[in-house]
């Protein structure tokens, strides 16, 4: 079904590729098929490229009536890098880049005639418990930098149900090494097995 969606609708930004979207939707499909308890959460949504496909897939599978879908973003562009984000591959992705407004994000859902997720505008480290789902079945993390990924892991992993999955964009990407470092450091240097395809890291809670 997700292949049909990818064939039918445009990818509206260059921040994620079709192969990467395929991995994200495939992992979401597996979680839904297993009837894993919990809601869907996305940390870092930019203009809504991945968000639109997640909503479409939830609608097509009838899951929108059963699960809440949450999206979180500062809508202020990228934060400053830390030393953990330093890369010999160059200095791409600077503070303030990839800035879109929450209004622009919601407009994309209106144009697509889709119900937007429950959307919170905040830096991840400013979020409080009342803004988060009690349990998470599936999460997509797209924070780009070390601290953003580390913050979003602190918010998602403790809430992730057994059988749940976290997918992480830019994992193993040479220009954004902070992503993989954040995963390693969150788990004290000994993370569970992380499989990755097309720069999407996959963490499953068993």
């Amino acid at each position: 079904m997700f292949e049909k969606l990818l064939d039918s609708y445009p990818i509206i930004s260059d921040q994620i590729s079709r192969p990467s979207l395929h991995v994200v939707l495939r992992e979401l499909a597996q979680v839904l098929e297993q009837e894993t308890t919990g809601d869907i959460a996305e940390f870092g949504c930019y203009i809504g490229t991945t968000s639109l496909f997640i909503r479409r897939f939830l609608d097509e599978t009838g899951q929108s009536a059963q699960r809440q879908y949450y999206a979180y973003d500062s809508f202020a562009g990228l934060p400053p890098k830390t030393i953990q984000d330093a890369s010999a591959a160059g200095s791409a992705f600077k503070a303030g880049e990839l800035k879109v407004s929450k209004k622009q994000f919601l407009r994309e859902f209106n144009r697509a005639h889709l119900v937007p997720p429950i959307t919170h505008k905040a830096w991840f480290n400013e979020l409080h418990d009342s803004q988060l789902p009690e349990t998470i079945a599936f999460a997509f993390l797209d924070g780009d930098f070390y601290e953003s990924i580390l913050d979003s892991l602190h918010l998602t992993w403790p809430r992730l149900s057994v059988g749940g999955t976290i997918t992480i964009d830019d994992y193993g990407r040479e220009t954004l090494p902070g992503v993989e470092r954040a995963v390693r450091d969150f788990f004290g240097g000994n993370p569970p097995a992380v499989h990755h395809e097309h720069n999407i890291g996959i963490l499953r809670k068993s």
Side-chain angles (χ1 to χ4, degrees):
M1 183 183 295
F2 53 83
E3 284 288 1
K4 181 180 178 181
L5 291 175
L6 289 168
D7 287 339
S8 301
Y9 298 99
I11 296 172
I12 63 170
S13 78
D14 61 358
Q15 292 304 301
I16 191 165
S17 66
R18 177 177 172 135
S20 297
L21 274 170
H22 179 280
V23 174
V24 173
L25 294 176
R26 184 197 69 203
E27 293 301 313
L28 174 58
Q30 182 173 317
V31 165
L32 298 181
E33 288 169 6
Q34 293 173 345
E35 299 183 351
T36 304
T37 302
D39 294 319
I40 312 302
E42 182 179 6
F43 288 79
C45 51
Y46 185 46
I47 194 67
T49 309
T50 307
S51 318
L52 291 166
F53 280 100
I54 289 175
R55 172 55 82 194
R56 290 181 180 116
F57 191 69
L58 293 174
D59 286 351
E60 289 289 333
T61 55
Q63 292 289 320
S64 290
Q66 302 177 40
R67 302 174 190 267
Q68 298 282 14
Y69 172 28
Y70 296 80
Y72 305 90
D73 201 290
S74 69
F75 297 105
L78 294 172
K81 287 184 178 180
T82 67
I83 189 64
Q84 299 289 350
D85 298 301
S87 169
S91 57
F93 302 99
K94 293 180 170 59
E97 288 184 356
L98 305 181
K99 179 180 179 179
V100 299
S101 68
K102 182 178 176 180
K103 184 177 180 180
Q104 288 174 286
F105 173 76
L106 296 175
R107 187 184 298 132
E108 294 299 330
F109 279 84
N110 184 57
R111 287 174 176 167
H113 306 290
L114 296 169
V115 176
I118 300 166
T119 308
H120 292 280
K121 178 182 178 179
W123 297 106
F124 301 154
N125 62 4
E126 297 174 346
L127 292 167
H128 48 81
D129 287 347
S130 65
Q131 297 171 300
L132 299 162
E134 185 174 331
T135 57
I136 294 172
F138 178 86
F140 176 59
L141 313 185
D142 189 11
D144 297 300
F145 295 165
Y146 178 86
E147 289 189 351
S148 295
I149 295 298
L150 194 62
D151 288 339
S152 51
L153 282 170
H154 279 293
L155 295 170
T156 54
W157 186 259
R159 294 174 171 83
L160 191 69
S161 298
V162 173
T165 297
I166 295 175
T167 52
I168 308 168
D169 195 22
D170 300 311
Y171 191 93
R173 188 172 177 179
E174 188 178 5
T175 52
L176 293 171
V179 172
E180 189 171 351
R181 289 169 183 162
V183 175
R184 180 193 62 213
D185 290 354
F186 177 77
F187 290 101
N190 187 32
V194 183
H195 178 60
H196 65 98
E197 300 175 50
H198 301 289
N199 294 121
I200 300 292
I202 302 165
L203 275 171
R204 299 187 178 100
K205 197 170 196 179
S206 58

